[in-house]
Amino acid sequence: MTQLVWNGLFVGSFYALVALGYSMVYGIIKLLNFAHGDLYMLGAFVGFAILGAVGGVSSSMALPLLLVVLLATMVLTGLAGVALERVAYRPLRRAPRLSLLITAVGASFALEYGMRAAAGADPRVYPVRLGGTSVEVLGARLTLQQLVLVGVAVVLMIGLNLLITRTREGRAMRAIALDPRTSSLMGIDVNAVISRTFFIGSALAGAAGVMAGAYYGKIDFLMGFLIGLKAFTAAVIGGIGNIPGTMLGGLLLGLLESFGTFWLGGEWRDVFAFGVLILFLTVRPTGLLGERVTERV
């Protein structure tokens, strides 16, 4: 039981990091950015390119190097997210929602097959993998890789929550989420805040991509598709647009998958996850911590 809980929390931390970008963007401009999962893929390949350029390193330097590459990848992936918002979404911000949704799907395909053209269709082996011995805690076997990656994910999620709740930038984001027109009249640069929101969300997805590459050891150009759907599921479970709810939703989805796989078998893992999505959309579409809102005209 303890092992199942730990496995669920570990996988859920990846889902939560990616889902935060979905939730932040939807909370501010009510856009389901279906290209967000592909920014996770882009982050994995950016980290792969940087590590490949650095060359071979000793095992003792693997963790410090990976943390530096993680930070660099977050910056580059964040800038890619800003470019995506500026080119694909900002010109259509006042267009019907369906136009934005179709654009997001098109951007997703552009990122996927653009990476396929640049890096090839074959999976790539990550240059650096975290190694080390495992320890046993309350009957669960925890590896060094898992402890480091969960620790990084927790630090990033806590940092984001503090940014949203304790800083001037966070207050501007929350004001725009409530009423962008009034926020603009009050002197807030709406376009700049939205761009920074895309930067933060994309940076978190890029960090998750590097972490996944270092842990699983293999990346490919379609790796962002499924985790994008899982992250969307996590955001819906927790309450899309609600930051603490999204974190909770990611962890809960990881736990549900872990226990569902144990009970029903690994081949039912995705069926179980998306079945939970259908259940929440039917019974509680606002999610666990989401609030019912009225549409502004």
Side-chain angles (χ1 to χ4, degrees):
M1 183 67 68
T2 311
Q3 188 68 55
L4 290 175
V5 171
W6 170 250
N7 291 342
L9 293 176
F10 174 69
V11 175
S13 65
F14 284 94
Y15 294 158
L17 273 183
V18 182
L20 285 170
Y22 268 115
S23 199
M24 291 176 66
V25 170
Y26 182 83
I28 288 186
I29 61 175
K30 300 299 182 287
L31 166 67
L32 292 176
N33 180 19
F34 284 114
H36 189 69
D38 297 295
L39 291 169
Y40 161 89
M41 175 272 298
L42 180 63
F45 274 93
V46 169
F48 174 84
I50 296 174
L51 289 169
V54 171
V57 294
S58 62
S59 58
S60 61
M61 291 298 297
L63 181 57
L65 174 63
L66 193 63
L67 293 176
V68 172
V69 170
L70 183 76
L71 293 175
T73 300
M74 289 178 68
V75 173
L76 294 175
T77 312
L79 292 175
V82 172
L84 178 66
E85 186 274 332
R86 184 66 183 86
V87 173
Y89 299 144
R90 187 179 298 182
L92 299 174
R93 196 174 294 163
R94 298 185 182 276
R97 295 281 176 80
L98 183 60
S99 300
L100 275 170
L101 188 63
I102 294 173
T103 302
V105 174
S108 173
F109 282 121
L111 287 171
E112 288 175 3
Y113 289 94
M115 185 57 69
R116 183 183 188 275
D122 296 330
R124 298 298 186 93
V125 177
Y126 229 62
V128 172
R129 292 193 66 182
L130 293 177
T133 58
S134 59
V135 295
E136 190 167 317
V137 179
L138 299 177
R141 190 167 294 277
L142 286 61
T143 65
L144 173 64
Q145 302 102 306
Q146 292 175 328
L147 291 171
V148 170
L149 297 180
V150 169
V152 171
V154 168
V155 168
L156 291 175
M157 286 188 281
I158 292 175
L160 175 64
N161 191 54
L162 292 175
L163 173 69
I164 298 295
T165 59
R166 302 290 180 87
T167 67
R168 181 186 180 95
E169 182 71 19
R171 288 195 295 271
M173 290 179 181
R174 286 182 281 134
I176 294 173
L178 289 173
D179 193 331
R181 186 175 301 175
T182 303
S183 299
S184 178
L185 293 175
M186 295 296 291
I188 298 175
D189 190 339
V190 175
N191 286 332
V193 172
I194 291 174
S195 293
R196 288 193 287 270
T197 302
F198 269 85
F199 179 90
I200 295 170
S202 302
L204 293 176
V210 173
M211 292 160 60
Y215 181 72
Y216 294 110
K218 186 177 71 172
I219 60 174
D220 64 82
F221 73 99
L222 289 176
M223 64 182 289
F225 175 75
L226 185 59
I227 198 168
L229 294 178
K230 295 285 186 72
F232 173 69
T233 302
V236 170
I237 290 174
I240 191 165
N242 185 295
I243 298 301
T246 300
M247 298 178 191
L248 176 63
L251 298 177
L252 181 59
L253 179 61
L255 290 171
L256 289 172
E257 280 195 1
S258 179
F259 281 91
T261 301
F262 177 74
W263 289 330
L264 303 176
E267 65 272 14
W268 289 90
R269 177 179 178 179
D270 296 337
V271 176
F272 191 80
F274 295 124
V276 171
L277 171 63
I278 295 171
L279 179 64
F280 265 87
L281 288 175
T282 303
V283 177
R284 188 175 174 83
T286 58
L288 293 174
L289 301 184
E291 299 177 356
R292 190 177 298 277
V293 295
T294 55
E295 186 77 13
R296 292 183 180 274
V297 179

